[in-house]
């Protein structure tokens, strides 16, 4: 992948995340942080996908989005879900869900099963990353936020 395409994808992920935040009526003051969160998640995904494959890259990217969301929540004194829901948007396997439904409608059950299973594995990787990230002590993020503000 060329550097230009790489940067365009990261920028598009950030813009898409802000658009998603706009649709869900996130307060305007959080748009920039939402965009950064989504762009950072996609950046992690793009960096690790060639090294380890799709599932570990999705896991790490989701974990990064969650950690940035928790840090932002502490720093900006708001719920982490504002950043998590918007920031995770670029990673959601929407194409896989669409292709599964399309294959099912066209009676291609073998293809639907294959694509659906891959999509399910991606979703499970995302859920596991969120569960792991939520188990991290909140004091870590408070300490990081207080150190960052100095």
């Amino acid at each position: 992948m060329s550097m230009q395409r790489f940067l365009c994808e990261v920028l598009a992920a950030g813009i898409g995340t802000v658009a998603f935040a706009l649709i869900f009526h996130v307060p305007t003051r959080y748009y920039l942080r939402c965009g950064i969160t989504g762009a950072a998640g996609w950046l992690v995904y793009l960096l690790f996908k060639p090294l380890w494959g799709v599932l570990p890259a999705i896991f790490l990217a989701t974990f990064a989005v969650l950690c940035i969301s928790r840090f932002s929540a502490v720093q900006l004194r708001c719920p982490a879900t504002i950043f998590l829901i918007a920031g995770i948007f670029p990673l959601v396997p929407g194409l896989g869900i669409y292709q599964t439904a399309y294959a099912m409608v066209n009676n291609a059950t073998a293809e639907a099963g294959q694509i659906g299973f891959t999509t399910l594995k991606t979703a499970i990787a995302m859920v596991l990353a969120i569960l792991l990230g939520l188990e991290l002590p909140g004091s870590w993020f408070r300490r990081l936020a207080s150190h960052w503000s100095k």
Side-chain angles (χ1 to χ4, degrees):
M1 175 185 300
S2 71
M3 182 59 79
Q4 183 179 9
R5 179 179 169 124
F6 183 85
L7 293 174
C8 283
E9 284 191 26
V10 171
L11 180 64
I15 292 169
T17 302
V18 171
F20 195 71
L22 178 74
I23 290 170
F24 282 90
H25 304 289
V26 169
T28 311
R29 65 184 173 274
Y30 302 130
Y31 285 172
L32 179 62
R33 190 65 65 101
C34 285
I36 290 169
T37 304
W42 193 251
L43 175 70
V44 170
Y45 173 73
L46 290 178
L47 289 175
F48 286 100
K49 182 182 169 191
L51 298 174
W52 295 340
V54 173
L55 289 179
I58 285 286
F59 180 87
L60 291 171
T62 304
F63 186 76
V65 166
L66 183 89
C67 288
I68 294 167
S69 297
R70 289 191 65 192
F71 171 78
S72 298
V74 169
Q75 192 179 42
L76 300 174
R77 292 183 167 86
C78 64
T81 53
I82 288 175
F83 310 106
L84 178 61
I85 300 299
I88 211 167
F89 170 70
L91 302 171
V92 172
L95 179 61
I97 295 167
Y98 171 80
Q99 289 174 335
T100 301
Y102 186 79
M104 288 175 67
V105 168
N106 287 325
N107 213 19
T109 54
E111 183 182 1
Q114 181 184 10
I115 296 169
F117 186 63
T118 301
T119 303
L120 181 63
K121 288 190 299 187
T122 302
I124 289 171
M126 294 175 75
V127 168
L128 291 175
I130 291 170
L131 288 174
L132 177 67
L134 289 175
E135 290 302 315
L136 297 176
S139 61
W140 291 3
F141 296 99
R142 286 189 293 276
R143 206 172 308 133
L144 184 62
S146 69
H147 178 71
W148 187 268
S149 64
K150 291 181 182 179

